[in-house]
Amino acid sequence: MWFVCVLMALAGCGQPLQLDAAQRTRTPLITQPAARTSTPERTVAAVAPTYTPQASIRESSPTVAPATSTPTVRIVPATPAPQTNEERWRAQQLDRQVFDPPQIYRVVRRTPLFWFDPTTGQILEIGTVLGNIPVQAQFRLRATGEAALEVPYRINNDFGLTAISDAVRTRMEAAGYTVSVEAFVLESDAVQAP
């Protein structure tokens, strides 16, 4: 008896699965579009879920949706106005204190006189100074924190510096300085306050 039950179960496995025909027609695998377009159509074969002959259905080719006019969003970043050369120089100075009128400091040992090139952001040595110099402001350099004194310098005229480097003079001219620049010396025991 047991053998007959096993035989019946195995024989049933080889039969195709029977589905209700009415259910197959109500739920198609691929649906047709609701409205017909003027684009060419093609016929494709779909495999039914049972082992029945293949059915033929129609599928429309993809269509391109018409262009719609949507508002365009433009993002314009707020860029700061470009700085002038003087503003770039002032940005290098921390805790600036202006002397009005300028004070006369005495330099007792040769001390380098520097200039900040605003176009490159470099500090260049103009030459060395000795003797009395007018100081118009006191500040700290942003890059190093060193205390410095701002000194007006007429190009190739003041402090005995009448033949400064052509390269430095060219860079001054390129930055827009042809008559004078605001130079500086670093504070040290060689620079004495009045």
Side-chain angles (χ1 to χ4, degrees):
M1 179 86 151
W2 180 80
F3 180 65
V4 172
C5 288
V6 172
L7 187 61
M8 291 288 275
L10 289 175
C13 289
Q15 298 295 322
L17 180 61
Q18 300 297 321
L19 295 177
D20 182 19
Q23 183 181 0
R24 276 195 315 242
T25 58
R26 279 184 275 163
T27 314
L29 293 178
I30 300 176
T31 59
Q32 294 183 358
R36 289 185 169 246
T37 61
S38 61
T39 58
E41 296 181 316
R42 58 182 177 201
T43 303
V44 294
V47 177
T50 62
Y51 296 101
T52 58
Q54 293 183 347
S56 175
I57 61 172
R58 294 176 7 170
E59 173 189 19
S60 64
S61 59
T63 59
V64 176
T68 59
S69 61
T70 57
T72 303
V73 177
R74 269 192 167 172
I75 298 174
V76 179
T79 55
Q83 290 183 319
T84 64
N85 287 340
E86 184 177 348
E87 289 170 334
R88 287 188 193 108
W89 167 229
R90 293 288 183 261
Q92 302 306 309
Q93 303 175 14
L94 300 174
D95 304 326
R96 179 182 168 87
Q97 296 175 342
V98 177
F99 299 142
D100 189 21
Q103 297 182 8
I104 303 299
Y105 277 63
R106 177 147 183 84
V107 181
V108 295
R109 274 194 314 275
R110 291 214 169 269
T111 302
L113 180 67
F114 298 103
W115 172 68
F116 174 76
D117 184 352
T119 57
T120 63
Q122 293 177 320
I123 294 176
L124 307 174
E125 184 177 331
I126 298 172
T128 57
V129 292
L130 182 64
N132 294 336
I133 59 171
V135 174
Q136 61 189 23
Q138 182 178 25
F139 61 93
R140 285 183 308 112
L141 282 173
R142 178 177 299 277
T144 61
E146 294 175 279
L149 302 167
E150 188 176 77
V151 178
Y153 169 66
R154 287 180 298 155
I155 299 169
N156 271 343
N157 198 5
D158 291 337
F159 318 123
L161 299 173
T162 57
I164 65 171
S165 162
D166 287 337
V168 172
R169 209 169 59 246
T170 301
R171 287 175 72 167
M172 288 176 175
E173 288 173 8
Y177 300 104
T178 56
V179 178
S180 66
V181 295
E182 290 179 344
F184 66 94
V185 294
L186 297 177
E187 285 191 47
S188 69
D189 59 348
V191 182
Q192 299 174 351

